[in-house]
Amino acid sequence: MIPVQGYDGQKVAVLGLGRSGLATAAALEAGGAEPVCWDDSPEGRARAEAAGYACRDLTRPDAFDAIAALVVSPGIPHLYPKPNPVIAAAMAAGVPVDNDIGLFFRSWASAAFASYDSVPRTICVTGSNGKSTTTALIHHILREDGRPTQMAGNIGRGVLDLDPPEEGEVVVLELSSYQTDLARALTPDIAVFTNLSPDHLDRHGGMGGYFAAKRRLFAEGGPDRAVIGVDEPEGVYLANQIMMGRNDDRLIRVSSARKLGDWGWSVFARKGFLSEWRKGRQIASIDLREVTGLPGAHNHQNACAAYAATRALGVAPRVIEAAFHSFAGLPHRSQTVAEKRGIRWVNDSKATNVDSAAKALEAFSNIRWIAGGLGKDGGAGALSGHLGAVRKAYFIGHSARDFALELAPLEHEICETMEAAVAACARDAEAGDTVLLAPAAASFDQYPNFEKRGEHFTALVEALPG
């Protein structure tokens, strides 16, 4: 646990009592504060009370009397589409609002750091797609290099639930826009921006607000080194804002779309090969085509970002290359779950939007595509230009018929359920085909989350005859 500093003897309100909220309450208590908890659901309040924390109805007019700060869980809106009433009341009362990420950065350094020869460091990863894979890959490379490391944030543990860092340790955090948007302190040693595509626009008041939330990771405190994906205009802009000149190697540009120019430091992937360039000459190259845990151009972008971040810490290219090959990938993200009768079955249930589904569709050939669920604004029509490898689609869920209309004349079958789709793919697929679950839709019409959807797909595939 990371004890929260700066609130000793003070009352701090905690809104939202899920995993991060309860970890925040414990870390506040460990730092000498008195957590005052609230959740809109009786179940959340019951969890807090069972853990020994006092609950106070933060919707009462006098709720923020003698409260030093309000700490908010990431899923609770504080500005758009409209502020949660509790947050609005705290702001009206002049109470500072923060989240666990902000508390982590204000409390990360301890007195023990003064005795370390090698001070612990933090790497933070943000962006629209690929954050989890990039974060996990960085963590894996560091472990393979023998370095002490922990992983947390939007993946794995809550940040305040981490163990106090040991000498030379590197903590790798995945941060969503919900987490970067409100944190009052953001001071990573290395910050990574993967890419940007439309998502969570209602929460951020549009694309500009969404990008602004991501940009805060690079603007609030300023990392010692930044790794920026420059395949979208926002990444190009962000890189330009950070750099002091073309040869400024505090910035590492990353691309999976093109060879980068004569910059101070860049890492890019072309035709399946990763290249590192510094000051106009190539330093290293890695063949990514046979790295089974990182298929497709979108994963090659993740590989470039992870390579750049770990090279910035001095990890050798040969160590990184070996770690690429031993990386198994993450569940629900272009995850090969089985190969039966020459057919590859891939679970990319995390592809919940059009952009991430498009990247998955471009990563494989001879695709039997399972898609659908609870469609998002804009529909699936934007995928029309990414269907060249699709032999047939099998649509499920609430948006099945909408997808069929929007993607006509693609050959398809309306399956409705995952069971029917997997059975139809097993009936139709031939050796050399890839059955790809890349829904391009949310899961909430049939499943509580994308993980359960992917687990159901995997279980059905595993039950098929070999």
Side-chain angles (χ1 to χ4, degrees):
M1 182 186 301
I2 307 294
V4 173
Q5 300 179 28
Y7 293 110
D8 187 18
Q10 301 180 70
K11 291 182 179 179
V12 177
V14 179
L15 177 63
L17 300 174
R19 176 175 60 93
S20 67
L22 290 178
T24 296
L28 284 163
E29 189 173 60
E34 180 184 341
V36 177
C37 300
W38 182 249
D39 194 292
D40 290 338
S41 75
E43 295 81 7
R45 297 195 295 271
R47 284 194 298 269
E49 289 170 348
Y53 301 117
C55 287
R56 176 193 295 184
D57 185 352
L58 295 179
T59 65
R60 295 182 336 205
D62 61 348
F64 288 98
D65 290 354
I67 295 291
L70 172 65
V71 184
V72 179
S73 291
I76 302 174
H78 59 275
L79 186 56
Y80 301 115
K82 64 179 181 180
N84 178 280
V86 171
I87 298 176
M91 291 182 175
V95 173
V97 180
D98 205 347
N99 62 16
D100 62 336
I101 305 301
L103 296 184
F104 170 84
F105 278 108
R106 82 180 269 165
S107 308
W108 158 248
S110 68
F113 280 31
S115 65
Y116 292 159
D117 292 328
S118 178
V119 174
R121 305 182 76 181
T122 56
I123 299 176
C124 292
V125 181
T126 196
S128 295
N129 298 305
K131 297 187 300 296
S132 296
T133 297
T134 301
T135 301
L137 183 55
I138 292 169
H139 180 59
H140 176 73
I141 293 167
L142 293 171
R143 284 192 303 178
E144 293 297 293
D145 194 41
R147 302 193 184 204
T149 179
Q150 298 181 74
M151 179 174 67
N154 204 42
I155 184 174
R157 305 161 71 179
V159 292
L160 294 173
D161 196 35
L162 288 168
D163 299 326
E166 60 183 88
E167 182 170 357
E169 185 161 29
V170 182
V171 167
V172 190
L173 304 180
E174 177 194 343
L175 299 183
S176 71
S177 58
Y178 291 5
Q179 293 169 308
T180 57
D181 198 18
L182 191 59
R184 297 172 71 90
L186 286 167
T187 54
D189 295 288
I190 299 171
V192 179
F193 176 85
T194 58
N195 51 57
L196 198 78
S197 61
D199 210 357
H200 309 305
L201 300 189
D202 59 336
R203 173 66 181 264
H204 297 293
M207 195 68 177
Y210 178 48
F211 175 54
K214 301 287 189 184
R215 184 180 177 274
R216 291 188 78 246
L217 182 61
F218 302 84
E220 289 304 299
D224 293 337
R225 180 158 274 128
V227 175
I228 307 292
V230 293
D231 288 338
E232 292 86 27
E234 293 86 356
V236 174
Y237 170 83
L238 184 56
N240 183 269
Q241 289 279 295
I242 290 170
M243 74 174 189
M244 298 301 293
R246 290 185 62 86
N247 293 319
D248 184 357
D249 67 1
R250 295 175 305 120
L251 167 66
I252 308 177
R253 288 172 174 80
V254 166
S255 174
S256 63
R258 66 189 189 280
K259 179 179 178 179
L260 295 177
D262 184 19
W263 303 102
W265 199 346
S266 62
V267 179
F268 58 87
R270 291 185 69 220
K271 298 180 179 180
F273 285 86
L274 178 153
S275 297
E276 177 189 3
W277 283 67
R278 294 193 72 173
K279 298 179 180 177
R281 67 187 186 93
Q282 184 170 313
I283 301 299
S285 178
I286 296 175
D287 185 352
L288 298 174
R289 294 173 298 176
E290 300 303 318
V291 179
T292 57
L294 296 166
H298 63 302
N299 273 311
H300 292 177
Q301 183 184 58
N302 299 335
C304 288
Y307 178 97
T310 50
R311 285 290 288 139
L313 291 176
V315 181
R318 59 178 176 78
V319 173
I320 299 174
E321 182 173 11
F324 281 173
H325 283 281
S326 61
F327 182 65
L330 289 179
H332 319 297
R333 297 162 176 86
S334 294
Q335 175 196 18
T336 298
V337 297
E339 292 198 21
K340 297 185 175 186
R341 298 186 294 110
I343 301 163
R344 184 178 185 179
W345 297 79
V346 177
N347 167 22
D348 202 344
S349 183
K350 182 64 167 65
T352 58
N353 58 42
V354 164
D355 185 71
S356 53
K359 288 179 168 60
L361 289 167
E362 292 171 351
F364 303 97
S365 58
N366 301 324
I367 296 171
R368 305 280 176 176
W369 178 35
I370 300 176
L374 189 61
K376 296 190 174 181
D377 291 347
L383 288 169
S384 295
H386 303 276
L387 304 177
V390 177
R391 299 189 65 183
K392 183 177 177 180
Y394 305 79
F395 294 132
I396 64 173
H398 179 270
S399 299
R401 285 169 176 77
D402 291 337
F403 274 35
L405 289 171
E406 292 162 358
L407 298 174
L410 176 68
E411 183 181 354
H412 68 273
E413 183 173 334
I414 302 295
C415 295
E416 302 285 1
T417 67
M418 189 70 76
E419 289 92 342
V422 169
C425 289
R427 176 197 68 212
D428 294 346
E430 303 169 348
D433 285 355
T434 293
V435 178
L436 172 66
L437 171 65
S443 61
F444 305 125
D445 57 333
Q446 295 178 317
Y447 302 93
N449 51 51
F450 74 84
E451 292 95 342
K452 292 298 182 185
R453 177 170 60 190
E455 289 167 6
H456 188 203
F457 170 78
T458 301
L460 292 168
V461 171
E462 289 174 345
L464 294 172

